Amino acid sequence: MADETSAPTLHALSIAEVDRPSSQLAKFGVDDPLRLDSGKSIAPWQIAYETYGELNADKSNAVLICHALTGDQYVASNNPVTGKPGWWERMVGPGRPIDTDKYFVLCANVLGGCLGTTGPASINPATGKAYAVSMPVVTIRDMVRAQAKLVDRFGIDTLFAVVGGSMGGMQVLQWAASYPERVFAAVPIATGARHSSQNIAFHEVGRQAIMADPDWCEGSYIAEDKRPLKGLAVARMAAHITYMSDSSLHQKFGRNLQDREDLTFGFDADFQIESYLRHQGMTFVDRFDANSYLYVTRAMDYFDLAAEFGSLPLAFTGTTTRFCVMSFTSDWLFPTSESRNIVKALNAAAANVSFVEVDSDRGHDAFLLDVPEMFSTIRGFITGAARARGIPAPGGAN
């Protein structure tokens, strides 16, 4: 029998990635602090990232991909913790709509994350222990500030495109609002210009599940050598429901029983959907940090471009960025009405904007799945933007 202790567990791999990631790493010293919306600063700090393709001579072909809530920098390469393929390999890669044969693609782990960028699981150099909840709360704008410093390291003045879905879409909008002169094209997908009260409510349920777990230890579970597994699993289960549509749940599971002929009249997982959610919860805890979940959900909750600029049209006044806004018909987490509000604001600001509502029954997660209309739309938009930019179009474009 093989020695079961010879291979590190997923959790051990995940912990190893917090401060010393397998990906590339940019470090910023005490002389280059990251100033936050809270009025506080972090220094030293670091940001973990992956790159694909080659940066051209005039640095005009750079595409920044922004990941969603529990995503990471491994957009088109295997995740070192799970071993799974990149989360958007259908979109990013050779000959794909975001073609790595033509573009230099950059994707960074967000501030507050747990795969190499400074977050609550990172070691606080002042104490030698994990920050835990002593780390200042961060915002979407803080995440984008960190990314901008990384882009500066490459000497890139203007990004050809910034692309992302869900929380990644929030980052896209923040980039376009905060750095309009640095974003040639923007593709916010399945997102909103602010987090709705319903979405804040779902996040609060998840956070309370984590904090109610006795092994959370007021956030200091790493120092106590404990893990709030049950709380984080429940948080993931609740969130996962919001990523799917009623139709997709019904098609996939219906009321089918799980490995049994009849009801047990107990509280085991009688139904397939129960078993599926439990599996989602328990696999998630091995790759994600509980405090990071608190921080990134809070960042989404605080996001509100209209409040930041006075009104949503004012956030985009005078912009020359080209926008392609996309929603999905069955997405009830970020419904099409949220995207239409963005488009109305862009129109009011006389921006160059196109809008597509993709017919899909896959719910919010459709942007991560095989949805041909999404791919063809983005390929078409990137093709037009590339021609306007004077750089090659994606492979296979007409």
Side-chain angles (χ1 to χ4, degrees):
M1 179 181 292
D3 181 5
E4 293 182 359
T5 64
S6 62
T9 64
L10 282 180
H11 176 60
L13 290 171
S14 181
I15 289 295
E17 294 289 323
V18 169
D19 288 304
R20 298 178 300 279
S22 300
S23 62
Q24 300 175 73
L25 186 65
K27 294 187 175 183
F28 298 81
V30 293
D31 59 337
D32 194 3
L34 184 65
R35 306 197 183 281
L36 307 175
D37 280 349
S38 65
K40 299 179 180 180
S41 298
I42 300 177
W45 63 283
Q46 64 186 39
I47 184 167
Y49 65 94
E50 283 285 77
T51 65
Y52 311 86
E54 299 293 332
L55 192 61
N56 62 11
D58 62 0
K59 301 183 179 181
S60 62
N61 71 332
V63 177
L64 177 68
I65 304 294
C66 302
H67 72 71
L69 179 69
T70 60
D72 51 55
Q73 63 268 44
Y74 300 101
V75 61
S77 51
N78 287 355
N79 183 298
V81 176
T82 65
K84 293 182 179 180
W87 54 268
W88 226 10
E89 284 194 337
R90 296 181 181 92
M91 183 70 74
V92 179
R96 301 296 191 186
I98 300 174
D99 191 345
T100 52
D101 287 337
K102 306 292 177 65
Y103 309 121
F104 174 71
V105 176
L106 173 65
C107 184
N109 188 218
V110 296
L111 186 70
C114 52
L115 275 184
T117 298
T118 298
S122 303
I123 297 299
N124 180 350
T127 65
K129 298 179 181 180
Y131 275 104
V133 291
S134 71
M135 179 177 167
V137 169
V138 302
T139 65
I140 297 295
R141 185 162 60 170
D142 293 332
M143 294 175 181
V144 168
R145 284 195 189 100
Q147 293 163 0
K149 282 183 170 286
L150 175 62
V151 171
D152 289 342
R153 282 278 178 97
F154 286 94
I156 298 167
D157 292 327
T158 303
L159 292 160
F160 166 52
V162 184
V163 185
S166 193
M167 189 183 83
M170 290 180 171
Q171 295 164 64
V172 173
L173 293 171
Q174 188 72 65
W175 260 99
S178 294
Y179 305 101
E181 74 286 351
R182 302 193 68 177
V183 181
F184 187 80
V187 187
I189 306 169
T191 194
R194 56 89 172 108
H195 220 207
S196 70
S197 58
Q198 175 179 266
N199 290 350
I200 294 170
F202 278 116
H203 277 172
E204 177 62 2
V205 169
R207 287 191 294 264
Q208 287 298 319
I210 291 168
M211 292 187 287
D213 189 320
D215 287 338
W216 184 60
C217 302
E218 302 298 317
S220 298
Y221 50 86
I222 293 176
E224 298 291 336
D225 195 26
K226 294 183 179 180
R227 298 170 62 202
L229 300 180
K230 293 180 179 178
L232 182 56
V234 170
R236 177 61 171 181
M237 290 168 68
H240 198 78
I241 296 168
T242 70
Y243 304 151
M244 303 180 74
S245 68
D246 179 59
S247 175
S248 63
L249 284 169
H250 180 73
Q251 290 177 24
K252 191 169 186 177
F253 303 106
R255 289 180 54 83
N256 297 331
L257 298 181
Q258 176 70 22
D259 300 328
R260 62 202 63 192
E261 296 295 328
D262 297 300
L263 300 175
T264 63
F265 293 94
F267 298 101
D268 196 4
D270 276 2
F271 296 97
Q272 287 181 4
I273 182 58
E274 294 174 308
S275 179
Y276 170 76
L277 287 175
R278 292 183 187 190
H279 173 75
Q280 289 293 323
M282 293 313 299
T283 55
F284 180 67
V285 301
D286 284 329
R287 70 172 182 85
F288 210 82
D289 175 64
N291 282 336
S292 277
Y293 195 87
L294 302 183
Y295 276 74
V296 291
T297 57
R298 204 50 162 167
M300 290 184 73
D301 292 349
Y302 283 172
F303 184 64
D304 187 344
L305 279 183
E308 178 184 342
F309 287 90
S311 75
L312 198 50
L314 286 177
F316 304 112
T317 298
T319 185
T320 59
T321 302
R322 295 163 170 257
F323 291 84
C324 177
V325 180
M326 182 178 295
S327 68
F328 298 91
T329 53
S330 59
D331 184 352
W332 58 275
L333 191 63
F334 287 98
T336 293
S337 58
E338 298 284 345
S339 291
R340 290 192 187 279
N341 287 337
I342 296 167
V343 173
K344 287 177 182 177
L346 289 167
N347 284 332
N352 183 331
V353 57
S354 57
F355 168 61
V356 177
E357 181 183 29
V358 176
D359 187 10
S360 168
D361 64 358
R362 310 292 290 277
H364 180 64
D365 262 359
F367 80 95
L368 296 171
L369 305 175
D370 188 3
V371 181
E373 186 181 352
M374 173 180 65
F375 300 129
S376 61
T377 296
I378 292 179
R379 183 184 292 274
F381 175 75
I382 294 293
T383 296
R387 289 171 179 163
R389 179 78 162 165
I391 60 177
N398 295 323

